Amino acid sequence: MDFNLTEEHVMIRDAAREFAQTELLPGVIERDEKQHFPDSLVKKMGDLGFLGLMVAPEYGGSGMDTISYVLVMEELSKIDASASVIVSVNNSLVCYGLEAFGSEAQKQKYLSKLATGEFLGAFCLSEPEAGSDATSQKTSAIDKGDHYLINGTKNWITNGGRADVYLVIAQTDRHKGSHGINAFIVEKGTEGFHIGPKENKLGIRGSDTHTLQFNDVKVPKENRIGEDGSGFRFAMRTLSGGRIGIASQALGIASGAYELALKYAKERKAFGTEICNHQAIAFKLADMYTNIEAARHLVMKAAWDKDQGNNYDVSSAMAKLYASKVAMEHTVEAVQIHGGNGFVKDYHVERLMRDAKITQIYEGTSEIQKIVISRNLIRG
Ligand code: CAA
């Protein structure tokens, strides 16, 4: 067992830290307030290779491992979780989904542009009546010979208004249940594909979340991903990796809040001394650091499992379940340590607290992660 990062890991982590400090930090409060999507920053992240971190170089990616990916995600998320969810969805849901399950022609046409940031991707599974219960897809994709006709609604889609390429999960044969589901590549601008209004959210307000409407959208057969009926398995396999991305986002939010709280506690004075010298605050810091380290180990273990070719359904679910709990609880503590200042936007911790909540909801709620973990335990 080796807990040390390699030289390459340290380099990519430091590059992400530098980018977050110099590029993401200025303007992060304004983007949150105004719900501004960071267009120019996404372009820069593409130039740095952050949008296709794990994609093979032959498809325009950085060819890095999952450990590198979570290191980048943690650093970006410490500063701006809106920017990091764009990175997470593009990398682990869209690029991974295409690289692992797409045809060579699909990879040539879409993956190389998604990996470099020329295109942005979105992953469309959730529906008004199929959130956690993902097999209950109402969106239909009817086989018309050389094409499919897609009808339905998708909800809470990250990168919804900004993406160029949408991976859309739909039901082709209702009688076959989860085996009658397929995944399709739909390009922005396809006739009948409408982008609904942007959601006004509690957190990650700089990211772009929309409802999407599909009215008789014609999708060529070559845009189906994988074998007929493999769409649900595609979604589950892809989400297992996505959960590593969101776990590392939660880890970054928690460690960002902890770093701010520690700095504040060493500067702020009360009752004649810096507040870190009061046990009430010192013990909060000790708890935060301990739990964040525990979350980091779970996140790294899940990333390592993926890199080793091990099954990572359970390790990614555990990492997301725990890291998101730590993010929620410790951002609240970071606000508490900041006192009145914690309630003020300039100190950043209230935003991290709002951003933390979504990590317990998207890419499978905490309750869904417990289903995944417990079913695997019981099944053995
Ligand atoms: N890998 C491969 N196959 C899998 C699998 C996996 N991880 N998980 C399930 N399957 C297979 C099962 O083996 C089963 O196949 P068989 O019928 O051949 O046995 C089939 O899929 C159906 O599985 P279940 O019977 O377990 O299905 P279920 O209805 O009980 O649901 C669930 C399982 C785990 C609850 C699943 O529905 C789930 O994960 N729900 C949460 C969905 C989710 O994460 N949504 C997030 C939206 S995306 C998002 O948030 C993106 C964003 O923009 C940020």
Side-chain angles (χ1 to χ4, degrees), residues 242-290:
R243 288 165 187 167
I244 301 176
I246 300 306
S248 56
Q249 180 188 45
L251 172 64
I253 293 170
S255 55
Y258 160 77
E259 285 174 14
L260 290 169
L262 177 66
K263 182 170 178 290
Y264 186 82
K266 284 161 86 172
E267 289 167 2
R268 171 79 175 179
K269 287 192 174 145
F271 304 103
T273 183
E274 288 78 14
I275 60 171
C276 63
N277 296 322
H278 298 299
Q279 199 178 70
I281 302 298
F283 279 17
K284 282 189 199 302
L285 293 168
D287 282 340
M288 288 167 95
Y289 187 73
T290 305

Side-chain angles (χ1 to χ4, degrees), residues 13 18 26 32 39 42 50 52 62 104-105 134 169-170 181 184 188 201 205 226 254 276 285 295 306 309 323 348 370:
R13 183 200 63 193
E18 169 81 10
D32 169 72
D39 285 296
V42 171
F50 290 173
S62 304
E104 188 53 35
I169 319 297
I181 291 173
F184 301 93
K188 180 182 241 165
K201 307 191 297 274
R205 289 170 55 80
C276 63
L285 293 168
K306 183 162 179 284
H348 298 285
K370 289 183 190 180

